[in-house]
Amino acid sequence: MKKLIVVAVLFAGNFMFSQKDALLQKVAEETCKCIEDKKLDMSGDFENLKGQFGLCMIQSYTANSKAMGGEELEFDDSASIEKLGSEIGVKMLNICPDYILALGKHAIKEKQEAAAEETVLASVTGKILEIKTEQFVSIQVKDENGRTHTMLFLDYFDSASLFTEGNLKKGDKAKVSYNEIELYDPKMKEFRYYKVIAGLTK
């Protein structure tokens, strides 16, 4: 008797999984068709692409879920809708990969832009005391409080031409933006934090 119960439970589980998989496949196919019919610009606005995906997906899922044994969607449960979107997205990758890849590229770009906006650079405004050119260029700046800061010119940044074209000289007043980066000091034989220039303004 116990064996029969176990077999019945396993059969029911497999049947439910098969039903759900069939539903996801159908929704993925219909969502791809819906997106294709809209003739969307894949390089266009990311929010619009996401919105159209969500609209097509929900329309298809709502139309098919009851007949195919799917769970009813709770529209105020964002976690469940996000999970469903991910599962359908995986299926869509085999049907309309260009659209899913376009969404992925937009998502990566959006995250990178958000991370860049969150990065707040420190800055010093003052008089250029000295510009040393050795293995790396270092610039000494005396700020408005009389403190001296030494900064390294290591990376490219948008206003780097101010220095590379010879427009930044000793005695100039400038605003220097910088990041603090941990680098190894071979003389001290230890890691130290250095101010690395990320922007110049005269």
Side-chain angles (χ1 to χ4, degrees):
M1 184 66 178
K2 286 183 179 179
K3 287 184 179 180
L4 285 174
I5 293 172
V6 170
V7 170
V9 169
L10 289 173
F11 178 78
N14 288 336
F15 178 72
M16 289 174 66
F17 175 80
S18 177
Q19 269 193 318
K20 182 182 179 182
D21 193 62
L23 174 60
L24 293 177
Q25 183 66 29
K26 186 170 181 61
V27 173
E29 290 170 359
E30 290 187 355
T31 301
C32 281
K33 180 67 168 59
C34 175
I35 294 295
E36 184 182 335
D37 290 344
K38 290 177 183 289
K39 301 187 185 305
L40 297 173
D41 177 8
M42 295 303 168
S43 62
D45 181 65
F46 181 40
E47 292 303 318
N48 180 52
L49 288 175
K50 281 198 302 183
Q52 294 300 328
F53 165 67
L55 184 62
C56 288
M57 179 191 77
I58 288 171
Q59 285 176 341
S60 175
Y61 187 88
T62 303
N64 293 291
S65 62
K66 190 172 182 180
M68 299 182 72
E71 297 177 0
E72 188 174 342
L73 271 182
E74 296 289 341
F75 291 101
D76 58 346
D77 185 353
S78 58
S80 294
I81 291 177
E82 188 175 329
K83 182 174 181 289
L84 177 65
S86 297
E87 291 174 336
I88 291 170
V90 170
K91 298 284 186 186
M92 289 172 66
L93 199 53
N94 294 318
I95 306 165
C96 51
D98 290 347
Y99 176 71
I100 297 300
L101 292 174
L103 272 184
K105 286 179 182 177
H106 277 291
I108 291 169
K109 184 180 178 182
E110 189 178 70
K111 285 183 180 179
Q112 289 173 338
E113 289 174 351
E117 287 176 4
E118 288 175 4
T119 303
V120 179
L121 297 174
S123 65
V124 170
T125 300
K127 183 179 179 181
I128 304 295
L129 293 181
E130 191 173 6
I131 299 175
K132 288 184 179 180
T133 304
E134 297 173 339
Q135 184 178 3
F136 299 108
V137 173
S138 64
I139 298 176
Q140 281 191 345
V141 182
K142 187 174 185 178
D143 69 20
E144 294 163 339
N145 296 318
R147 291 185 300 176
T148 300
H149 305 261
T150 300
M151 305 183 187
L152 298 178
F153 192 157
L154 297 180
D155 296 325
Y156 171 81
F157 48 88
D158 288 343
S159 54
S161 60
L162 192 63
F163 170 76
T164 58
E165 294 178 3
N167 295 318
L168 187 70
K169 295 180 173 59
K170 183 177 178 179
D172 286 346
K173 185 175 181 181
K175 178 181 178 181
V176 185
S177 302
Y178 63 89
N179 289 308
E180 282 200 313
I181 297 177
E182 193 174 20
L183 299 171
Y184 184 71
D185 184 338
K187 290 182 180 178
M188 301 292 291
K189 295 184 178 179
E190 64 181 16
F191 283 93
R192 294 172 52 201
Y193 280 95
Y194 291 84
K195 294 173 181 175
V196 177
I197 299 171
L200 289 170
T201 310
K202 278 182 71 175

